[in-house]
Amino acid sequence: MALYFMFMLPGILLMFWAQAKVKGSYAKYSKMANSKNMTGAQAARMVLDANGLHNVPIEMDKNPRAELSDHYDPRSRKLVLSRGIYAVPSIAAVAVAAHEAGHAIQHATGYAPLKTRTALVPAVNIGSNLGFIVLLAGLFMQITGLAWAGVALFGLSTLFAAVTLPVEFDASKRAKVALVQTGIVDGGVAGGPEGKGVDTMLNSAAWTYVAGFAASLMTLLYYVMLVTGMRRD
């Protein structure tokens, strides 16, 4: 048990820190209006239209209590924004909305990491549901091959988390550029105070994905150690 916590603690601490960081950034910049008095939905529409994606709809999350539930759905090709992003003219709102628009642009341009992540989803769903069960069965019955199969299934989640990193970083990069090019922040001048707020907001959000990958990787390494020790026994 002590060894388990030794593996898990760094990832857990990083996850808590990252979540606190993004919540703190959101709490600050959701209260700061942008100079254009533009809501997240309006900013996303402008970014999408500037990239020829006039047919990508933008909807508000049906759950009024949802916070930072914003996402782009590649299956229905639509943006879904939480109420605090969709209808609020804040720096945080335009940052998050433009980030999600960045995913739509990735989809339209055939961005390879996004295609890879989307293709992994069915396998990851299976792996996340069965991986631990198969691993546990292998350990309990002392069947090394079965235990390794469980590790491999869980490893799909770690691979998914790894592929997610370039997808999210690229979407944020596209968002920062688009917000300047469309003149939504700082009148189209890079490096202004609104742009710095956007950077802080999106960089904070990026840490949650780094933390998620780190936690998944440490869990995977722990499982590998268990099965390797089983082989030695």
Side-chain angles (χ1 to χ4, degrees):
M1 185 61 70
L3 189 59
Y4 174 80
F5 281 111
M6 185 180 76
F7 270 85
M8 295 302 106
L9 191 58
I12 292 171
L13 291 176
L14 183 58
M15 183 68 75
F16 278 125
W17 175 82
Q19 289 176 345
K21 188 174 178 65
V22 74
K23 286 181 179 179
S25 297
Y26 180 68
K28 177 180 179 180
Y29 290 106
S30 63
K31 294 181 176 66
M32 295 178 62
N34 58 72
S35 59
K36 294 288 187 181
N37 198 38
M38 187 173 288
T39 66
Q42 291 170 331
R45 183 75 275 154
M46 184 175 287
V47 171
L48 290 171
D49 289 350
N51 286 273
L53 301 179
H54 307 280
N55 60 335
V56 175
I58 304 169
E59 298 179 1
M60 185 161 61
D61 195 316
K62 292 180 175 59
N63 181 0
R65 297 183 179 180
E67 185 176 82
L68 294 177
S69 58
D70 316 273
H71 62 278
Y72 170 70
D73 186 344
R75 294 166 300 180
S76 58
R77 293 177 178 266
K78 68 180 179 182
L79 260 64
V80 179
L81 303 178
S82 57
R83 188 176 297 270
I85 300 300
Y86 184 97
V88 177
S90 67
I91 291 175
V94 298
V96 173
H99 172 90
E100 299 309 328
H103 286 311
I105 297 168
Q106 289 175 336
H107 193 188
T109 57
Y111 182 62
L114 179 65
K115 292 171 69 175
T116 301
R117 187 176 74 169
T118 303
L120 282 171
V121 170
V124 170
N125 288 337
I126 295 171
S128 61
N129 291 326
L130 295 180
F132 183 71
I133 296 173
V134 173
L135 171 64
L136 208 60
L139 292 172
F140 181 76
M141 294 185 289
Q142 289 295 293
I143 302 175
T144 304
L146 187 62
W148 277 120
V151 171
L153 286 169
F154 181 83
L156 292 171
S157 296
T158 305
L159 176 62
F160 183 84
V163 174
T164 292
L165 294 179
V167 173
E168 297 300 332
F169 291 158
D170 179 77
S172 288
K173 181 180 178 181
R174 291 173 190 264
K176 293 172 186 178
V177 171
L179 288 172
V180 173
Q181 289 181 340
T182 55
I184 295 173
V185 299
D186 298 313
V189 179
E194 288 183 305
K196 290 178 181 177
V198 169
D199 285 348
T200 300
M201 185 69 213
L202 294 182
N203 291 345
S204 296
W207 275 107
T208 62
Y209 297 102
V210 174
F213 169 67
S216 183
L217 179 62
M218 293 305 291
T219 303
L220 179 63
L221 291 175
Y222 176 72
Y223 290 159
V224 168
M225 187 205 65
L226 284 182
V227 179
T228 302
M230 179 179 130
R231 290 180 66 185
R232 289 172 182 168
D233 292 341

